[in-house]
Amino acid sequence: MIRTILTYPNPELKKKSAPVTIITEKIRELARDMAETMYNAPGIGLAAPQIGVHQRIIVIDVSGHDEQPELIIALNPVIVHAEGEAYEEEGCLSVPKYAANVRRHASVVVKGLDLDGNEKVWRADDLLAIAFQHEIDHLDGILFVDHLSPLKRDLFQRKARRLAEAATEAS
Ligand code: NI
């Protein structure tokens, strides 16, 4: 089932998510819905709080249009090692019509659980490494715009207000 993606400045996006303790059928259904919602958007990653569920679950697929899908579902993901620097343009399904460059690590090692409760280690570089960092941030209530310089953040907030006003006038 495709779920509604919450957008900035919805306060639900600022809340910290709790670890998954038991992998119930409800959690599996949630993960399936998250993947469906991400592919439908379309996007390359989605975290549970973006659909209003405050559990530590992320889904990512950075494969290209002409490639086989490579869906990653990670429960309770934690970055255990990070190195290198990246400064790439990012967007977010919860921050429509806005993109900006963000400083991240170029490579990360992430530990977590898969949907069967097995411990997994993901070694990620480049776009996948950025996606892991971006999605794990969501679990702590952090959006990519929170990483911007005060000046850029101010410009973003002005633009977001203008878009919100335009949407209100149009409705
Ligand atoms: Ni995002």
Side-chain angles (χ1 to χ4, degrees):
M1 191 179 79
I2 293 164
R3 310 264 193 122
T4 304
I5 299 173
L6 307 180
T7 54
Y8 177 92
N10 191 311
E12 296 297 312
L13 295 167
K14 300 293 290 176
K15 292 185 188 164
K16 217 173 146 90
S17 293
V20 176
T21 49
I22 310 168
I23 301 166
T24 57
E25 185 47 42
K26 205 174 166 193
I27 292 288
R28 292 203 174 88
E29 193 185 323
L30 171 65
R32 281 195 296 271
D33 285 357
M34 285 173 60
E36 198 182 338
T37 304
M38 172 184 75
Y39 287 125
N40 177 67
I44 60 169
L46 191 76
Q50 292 182 272
I51 56 166
V53 178
H54 294 93
Q55 299 251 33
R56 300 187 82 84
I57 306 175
I58 62 173
V59 296
I60 294 174
D61 188 340
V62 297
S63 63
H65 280 294
D66 45 357
E67 294 168 350
Q68 283 290 319
E70 277 182 57
L71 177 62
I72 293 170
I73 297 173
L75 312 184
N76 305 340
V78 176
I79 294 168
V80 293
H81 182 76
E83 62 180 47
E85 284 177 22
Y87 187 60
E88 297 294 327
E89 189 174 83
E90 290 183 33
C92 178
L93 295 175
S94 293
V95 187
K97 298 178 185 163
Y98 187 76
N101 284 57
V102 178
R103 285 192 195 289
R104 301 281 190 188
H105 290 291
S107 305
V108 292
V109 179
V110 177
K111 278 191 183 175
L113 300 175
D114 67 14
L115 267 188
D116 296 315
N118 299 313
E119 280 192 28
K120 295 271 290 181
V121 177
W122 292 275
R123 285 166 208 284
D125 301 304
D126 308 318
L127 181 59
L128 183 57
I130 289 168
F132 266 113
Q133 292 166 87
H134 177 119
E135 300 312 328
I136 291 171
D137 264 358
H138 275 299
L139 304 179
D140 293 316
I142 299 165
L143 299 176
F144 80 95
V145 291
D146 294 323
H147 290 291
L148 301 179
S149 67
L151 177 68
K152 274 195 185 165
R153 225 180 140 195
D154 189 53
L155 289 171
F156 160 71
Q157 282 164 341
R158 280 170 206 231
K159 189 182 175 189
R161 271 198 295 274
R162 273 204 310 276
L163 286 172
E165 280 162 16
T168 313
E169 280 161 21
S171 65

